[in-house]
């Protein structure tokens, strides 16, 4: 089955530690996205990548980093510079424009 | 700047009643419009999309939405709500120009509760 997988589903980290969230898609989509979701805030774009080996900052990129070395993978690192990292993180991909984005199941990160 | 407004944070309807969720957007050109649904702790699922053509679009799970350019609206409707429709609903507009082409701007969501 084609789709987007995110792992792990739940992640706990101590304050000051970097953590990497995984996102993999087998839809052969060119574009991939990372969003952060907080209660009552909707979805806010962290980073996006329109093509392999290229990515752009979204609206709230500070304290995050990404890589796009393979078409199917777009990992997100939450660094210790992110002041309030506890949130629900969603990965998405898109095949072209004006196509819709398709979402993974999300990772809930809790920083203790 | 582009924006999406969902005026209702929380709506409660009785099972079997009709539903309309409001969405207004601000965009200079013909927008690409989407409705997504999210169950607690899950990812977003696409309900329907509008790119062009017929302004009344049909989606999955019995939902439909109507694009009204004059009102800058894209309201979601369902004639008879089921208990399983309880979830959070997000409206989004797609950017169709420049380097951020294909990016989405989301509203803050409307949470739907269904009374038995």
């Amino acid at each position: 089955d084609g789709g987007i997988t995110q792992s792990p589903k739940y992640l706990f980290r101590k304050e000051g530690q970097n953590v990497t969230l995984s996102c993999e898609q087998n839809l052969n989509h060119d574009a991939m996205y990372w969003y952060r979701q907080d209660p009552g805030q909707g979805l806010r774009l962290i980073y996006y990548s329109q093509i392999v080996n290229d990515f752009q900052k979204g609206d709230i990129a500070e304290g995050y980093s990404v890589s796009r070395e393979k078409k199917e993978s777009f990992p997100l690192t939450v660094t210790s510079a992110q002041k309030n990292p506890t949130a629900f993180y969603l990965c998405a991909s898109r095949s072209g424009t004006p196509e819709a984005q398709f979402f993974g199941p999300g990772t809930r990160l809790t920083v203790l | 700047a582009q924006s999406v407004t969902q005026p209702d944070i929380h709506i409660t309807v009785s099972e079997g009643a009709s539903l309309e969720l409001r969405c207004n957007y601000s965009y200079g050109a013909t927008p690409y419009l989407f409705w997504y649904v999210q169950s607690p702790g899950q990812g977003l699922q696409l309900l329907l999309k509008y790119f062009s053509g017929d302004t009344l679009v049909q989606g999955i799970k019995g939902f439909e939405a109507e694009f009204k350019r004059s009102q800058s609206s894209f309201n979601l409707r369902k004639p008879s709500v089921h208990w399983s429709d309880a979830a959070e609903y997000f409206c989004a507009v797609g950017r169709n120009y420049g380097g951020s082409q294909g990016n989405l701007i989301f509203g803050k969501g409307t949470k739907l509760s269904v009374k038995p």
Side-chain angles (χ1 to χ4, degrees):
Chain A
D1 287 337
I4 302 173
T5 57
Q6 292 186 242
S7 61
K9 188 168 179 63
Y10 299 97
L11 190 54
F12 297 89
R13 280 294 181 268
K14 292 183 179 179
E15 195 170 334
Q17 290 182 332
N18 292 357
V19 62
T20 297
L21 282 59
S22 169
C23 177
E24 303 277 334
Q25 55 100 358
N26 60 5
L27 300 167
N28 200 34
H29 287 175
D30 286 316
M32 297 187 73
Y33 301 82
W34 274 106
Y35 293 91
R36 171 180 171 138
Q37 186 177 26
D38 298 281
Q41 295 295 315
L43 277 71
R44 293 182 290 170
L45 182 63
I46 304 172
Y47 267 98
Y48 64 100
S49 169
Q50 303 275 26
I51 198 168
V52 176
N53 293 321
D54 187 49
F55 50 83
Q56 306 295 329
K57 292 182 179 179
D59 301 316
I60 57 163
E62 185 175 351
Y64 300 97
S65 66
V66 294
S67 63
R68 186 83 188 277
E69 298 175 0
K70 298 186 295 182
K71 187 175 186 177
E72 59 270 24
S73 179
F74 192 40
L76 173 74
T77 297
V78 184
T79 75
S80 56
Q82 168 50 232
K83 297 190 186 312
N84 185 19
T86 294
F88 190 54
Y89 290 87
L90 287 160
C91 179
S93 69
R94 176 179 57 80
S95 63
T97 304
E99 293 304 321
Q101 292 182 18
F102 294 92
F103 285 80
T107 292
R108 183 164 299 281
L109 173 63
T110 302
V111 175
L112 307 171
Chain B
Q2 298 163 301
S3 65
V4 177
T5 302
Q6 293 181 247
D8 304 304
I9 296 173
H10 190 188
I11 285 181
T12 300
V13 300
S14 298
E15 190 168 15
S18 64
L19 171 70
E20 182 169 27
L21 301 182
R22 296 183 290 165
C23 174
N24 293 97
Y25 65 89
S26 171
Y27 191 72
T30 300
Y32 303 144
L33 294 161
F34 308 86
W35 274 100
Y36 287 87
V37 61
Q38 184 183 35
S39 297
Q42 303 297 316
L44 275 67
Q45 181 182 21
L46 179 68
L47 284 176
L48 49 77
K49 59 189 179 185
Y50 171 78
F51 295 153
S52 64
D54 193 346
T55 56
L56 184 63
V57 294
Q58 303 297 320
I60 63 171
K61 304 185 180 188
F63 286 93
E64 66 178 26
E66 186 171 12
F67 170 59
K68 292 185 177 180
R69 184 187 301 275
S70 61
Q71 299 177 19
S72 297
S73 69
F74 189 57
N75 294 349
L76 182 71
R77 301 193 295 245
K78 187 170 186 179
S80 178
V81 169
H82 188 262
W83 63 266
S84 60
D85 293 323
E88 191 156 20
Y89 292 80
F90 292 93
C91 180
V93 62
R95 290 174 170 148
N96 57 7
Y97 64 90
S100 61
Q101 189 175 23
N103 288 9
L104 297 181
I105 303 167
F106 285 86
K108 294 189 175 182
T110 298
K111 185 175 181 181
L112 174 65
S113 297
V114 180
K115 292 190 300 184

